[in-house]
C-alpha cells in the first residue's frame, strides 16, 4: 500500500518524515553487533515475502506481513521495513522518496504496535492460543495500515474521502488473508523453532 | 571481509550485464543520491501541468542517459498500487468543481481531472528520476553512498545485510516452492493453500534465523567487531561538478517556468 509522490500535502509529508525519524532512532538503538545480521536476514526474508502472490478470489494479493515482522523483530521492525520500502522505491519504483516517511509510518508503525499488543499472546505455551494471537496480529497490522493510509489521504484533502472509504472496505479480505497466513506461520514456528520470537526480546 | 559485501549481480538491477560506459553511471554516487532527493522535492512542489510534463521528459532523458532498458523501466514507473489508480480515477468525481460530463448522475469535474493528471505526472517523474539516478547503481554502492552522506551506520549496515541476503533468500524461496510443486501443490482459493503459504513463510523465517546465526558465527571468526569497512572511495571530480551545475540549472528553470506561468494567469 504505497502512496505515490505528489499525492499528499506538504504538511502530511513533513509529519510522516518526522515520525519516521523518531521511529528509526528508537529502532536503530535496539540494533547492535549481535543482532544486525539477524535483523538484516529477516528484513530480506520479509522483502522476499512481499513478492509472494497469494490467490484471492479471481485475482491475487501480494503479502506485506508487517504484523509478523513486528512480532519477530519488535522495535527493530521499524528500520527493517523502512529499508525494504527504500529498496522498493529505488529499485522497483514503488512509492517514492518524498512519501517515504509517510509510507514508513503507515507500514512500520503498525508492526511495532502489533508487537506490543500481541507479543505476550504469541509467546503462549499453548500452540493454538499463540497461533490465534499471531493471526490477530497479522490482520491488525493491515487494518492499522489501511487506517493510517486513510488518515494520510484525509488530512491532505476532502477530495480523497470517498475513495478512502472504498479502499478501507476493499482491504478487509487482505486483512483476513494476512491474518490467516501469519497465524499459520506462528503455528509452524512454534513447532519448529520457538526461539524465533525471542529475537525481539534479545534485541533490547 | 570484503566477500561479505560482494553482492552478486542483483536480479532486479541487471546492472553489470548492461553496464556500458554511460556518463550518468560514471558520476559520483553521492551526487546522484543528492540530485535525486532534490529533484523529487522540486517535482512534488510544482503544479503547472506543462512544467510537470517537461520534468517527466527530463526524467526520461535521465533514464536514457543511464542506459536503462526503456520498456522495462517505464513499465515499472507506471506500475502503481491498485488503490492509487482507483483513487486517481475517482478524483474527477470526488473533487468539486466545474462539471465536465456526467456518469450515472455523478458529475466529473475538470478540477479533479487536472489534479489527477498532475499527481500522475509528479509520481512518474519523481520515481523515474529516482530509478535512473540511484536505481542504476549497484545496491552495495548505494549503501556506501548513504554511509558517506552520514546516514546512521546501523541503518547502512542493516541495508547492506538486507541487499546481501535478498538474492540468497529468493533462491531459498524458489527451492521451497519447487519442493511444493513437485508434491503437486497448486495455489487455489482454499484453506489448504493458505495453510501451505503460511507454513512456507514460517519455514523461510526459521531458516533465515538459523542462517543468520551461522553468519554471525562466521563473521566473529573473522574478527567482526561491529564495523564493516566501506571500501568504495568516492571522488568528486570535475564532471560531477558539471553535472551538479547542469542539474541545478534544470531545476531552477523548472521552478522559474512554474513561477512565470503562475504570474501569467
Amino acid at each position: 500500500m504505497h502512496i505515490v509522490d505528489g499525492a499528499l500535502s506538504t504538511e502530511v509529508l513533513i509529519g510522516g518524515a518526522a515520525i519516521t525519524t523518531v521511529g528509526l532512532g528508537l529502532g536503530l538503538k535496539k540494533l547492535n553487533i549481535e543482532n544486525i545480521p539477524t535483523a538484516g536476514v529477516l528484513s530480506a526474508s520479509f522483502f522476499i515475502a512481499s513478492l509472494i502472490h497469494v490467490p484471492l478470489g479471481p485475482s491475487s494479493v501480494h503479502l506485506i506481513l508487517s504484523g509478523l515482522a513486528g512480532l519477530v523483530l519488535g522495535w527493530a521492525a521499524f528500520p527493517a521495513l523502512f529499508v525494504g520500502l527504500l529498496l522498493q522505491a529505488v529499485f522497483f519504483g514503488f512509492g517514492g522518496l518524498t512519501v517515504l516517511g509517510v509510507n514508513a509510518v503507515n507500514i512500520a508503525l503498525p508492526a511495532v504496535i502489533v508487537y506490543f499488543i500481541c507479543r505476550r499472546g504469541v509467546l503462549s505455551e499453548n500452540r493454538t492460543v499463540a497461533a490465534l494471537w499471531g493471526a490477530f496480529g497479522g490482520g491488525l497490522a493491515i487494518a492499522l495500515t489501511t487506517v493510517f493510509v486513510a488518515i494520510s489521504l484525509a488530512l491532505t484533502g476532502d477530495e480523497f474521502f470517498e475513495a478512502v472509504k472504498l479502499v478501507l472496505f476493499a482491504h478487509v479480505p487482505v486483512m483476513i488473508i494476512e491474518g490467516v497466513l501469519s497465524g499459520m506461520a506462528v503455528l509452524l514456528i512454534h513447532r519448529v523453532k520457538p526461539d524465533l520470537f525471542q529475537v525481539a526480546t534479545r534485541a533490547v | 571481509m570484503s566477500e561479505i559485501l560482494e553482492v552478486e549481480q542483483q536480479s532486479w538491477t541487471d546492472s553489470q550485464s548492461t553496464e556500458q560506459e554511460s556518463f550518468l553511471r560514471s558520476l559520483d554516487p553521492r551526487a546522484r543520491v543528492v540530485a535525486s532527493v532534490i529533484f523529487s522535492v522540486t517535482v512534488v512542489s510544482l503544479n503547472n501541468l506543462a512544467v510537470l510534463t517537461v520534468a517527466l521528459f527530463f526524467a526520461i532523458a535521465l533514464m536514457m542517459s543511464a542506459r536503462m532498458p526503456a520498456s522495462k523501466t517505464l513499465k515499472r514507473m507506471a506500475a502503481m498500487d491498485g488503490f492509487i489508480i482507483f483513487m486517481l480515477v475517482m478524483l474527477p468525481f470526488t473533487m468539486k468543481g466545474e462539471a465536465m460530463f456526467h456518469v450515472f448522475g455523478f458529475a466529473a469535474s475538470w478540477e479533479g481531472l487536472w489534479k489527477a493528471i498532475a499527481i500522475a505526472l509528479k509520481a512518474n517523474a519523481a520515481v523515474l528520476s529516482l530509478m535512473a539516478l540511484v536505481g542504476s547503481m549497484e545496491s552495495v554502492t548505494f549503501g556506501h553512498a548513504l554511509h558517506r552522506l552520514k546516514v546512521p551506520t546501523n541503518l547502512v549496515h542493516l541495508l547492506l545485510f538486507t541487499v546481501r541476503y535478498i538474492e540468497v533468500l529468493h533462491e531459498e524461496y524458489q527451492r521451497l516452492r519447487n519442493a511444493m510443486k513437485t508434491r503437486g501443490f497448486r495455489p487455489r482459493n482454499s484453506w489448504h493453500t493458505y495453510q501451505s503459504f503460511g507454513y512456507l513463510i514460517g519455514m523461510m523465517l526459521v531458516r533465515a534465523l538459523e542462517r543468520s546465526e551461522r553468519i554471525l558465527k562466521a563473521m566473529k571468526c573473522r574478527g567482526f567487531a561491529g564495523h564493516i569497512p566501506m571500501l568504495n572511495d568516492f571522488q568528486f571530480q570535475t564532471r560531477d561538478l558539471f553535472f551538479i551545475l547542469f542539474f541545478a540549472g534544470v531545476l531552477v528553470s523548472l521552478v522559474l517556468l512554474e513561477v512565470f506561468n503562475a504570474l501569467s494567469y
Side-chain angles (χ1 to χ4, degrees), chain A residues 1-7 13 24 28-29 31-34 36-49 51-58 62-63 65 68 72 76 79-80 82-83 86-87 89-98 149 153 156 158-160 162-163 166-167 171 177 180-181 184-185 187-189 191-193 195-196 199 202, chain B residues 12-13 33 36-37 40-41 44 76-77 79-81 83-84 86-87 90-91 94-96 115 119 122-123 126-127 130-131 134-139 142 146 152-155 157-159 161-163 165-167 169-170 173 177 187-189 191 193-195 197-206 208-213 215-216 219-220 224-226:
Chain A
M1 278 189 269
H2 304 73
I3 301 178
V4 295
D5 273 332
L13 294 179
L24 279 179
L28 289 174
K29 255 193 212 160
L31 292 178
N32 52 43
I33 311 174
E34 294 289 323
I36 279 193
T38 314
V41 175
L42 289 173
S43 153
S45 343
F46 285 109
F47 189 91
I48 296 300
L51 302 174
I52 304 177
H53 282 257
V54 176
L56 174 65
H62 81 86
L63 299 171
L65 294 177
L68 203 54
V72 174
F82 174 84
V83 163
L86 178 62
L87 292 173
V90 169
F91 293 104
F92 291 170
F94 292 160
L97 274 189
T98 62
V149 168
L153 290 170
T156 293
D158 299 335
E159 65 266 24
F160 294 121
E162 293 300 318
L166 285 164
V167 165
H171 276 87
I177 294 278
V180 170
L181 289 193
M184 289 297 174
L187 193 65
L188 181 115
I189 293 167
R191 241 179 243 164
V192 181
K193 194 164 175 97
D195 291 0
L196 195 59
V199 173
R202 262 191 277 155
Chain B
W12 70 84
T13 55
V33 171
S36 73
V37 173
S40 294
V41 172
V44 298
R76 273 189 182 167
M77 169 195 83
M80 292 179 184
D81 263 6
F83 93 93
I84 292 283
F86 173 74
M87 200 182 77
M90 288 282 286
L91 255 182
T94 53
M95 203 164 167
K96 286 181 186 65
K115 172 115 187 179
I119 292 175
K122 285 181 194 187
V127 99
L130 176 64
M131 284 194 288
V134 188
S136 57
M137 251 178 239
E138 279 290 299
S139 39
F142 174 50
L146 290 181
T153 319
N154 268 355
L155 189 62
H157 282 177
L158 185 62
L159 181 116
F161 270 109
T162 308
V163 297
Y165 286 101
I166 281 177
E167 198 74 355
L169 290 168
H170 190 62
Y173 165 68
R177 273 307 284 272
R188 282 196 196 88
N189 282 299
W191 182 256
T193 300
Y194 299 137
Q195 187 179 30
F197 271 119
Y199 284 176
L200 167 68
I201 289 153
M203 201 60 219
M204 273 182 68
L205 292 177
V206 169
L209 181 70
E210 286 174 348
R211 185 187 289 277
S212 79
E213 284 164 356
I215 294 164
L216 184 63
M219 287 175 69
K220 279 185 172 170
F224 180 63

Side-chain angles (χ1 to χ4, degrees), chain B residues 17-66:
Chain B
S17 57
T18 53
E19 188 145 26
Q20 299 136 322
E21 260 316 297
S22 107
F23 175 71
L24 204 114
R25 284 176 195 248
S26 70
L27 293 169
D28 188 327
R30 290 169 298 180
R32 286 152 70 183
V33 171
V34 172
S36 73
V37 173
I38 298 174
F39 185 79
S40 294
V41 172
T42 311
V43 164
V44 298
S45 52
L46 297 172
N47 282 311
N48 186 287
L49 292 186
V51 181
L52 282 171
T53 312
V54 175
L56 181 60
F57 276 109
F58 180 61
I60 293 173
L62 284 176
M63 176 197 80
M64 278 154 55
S65 160

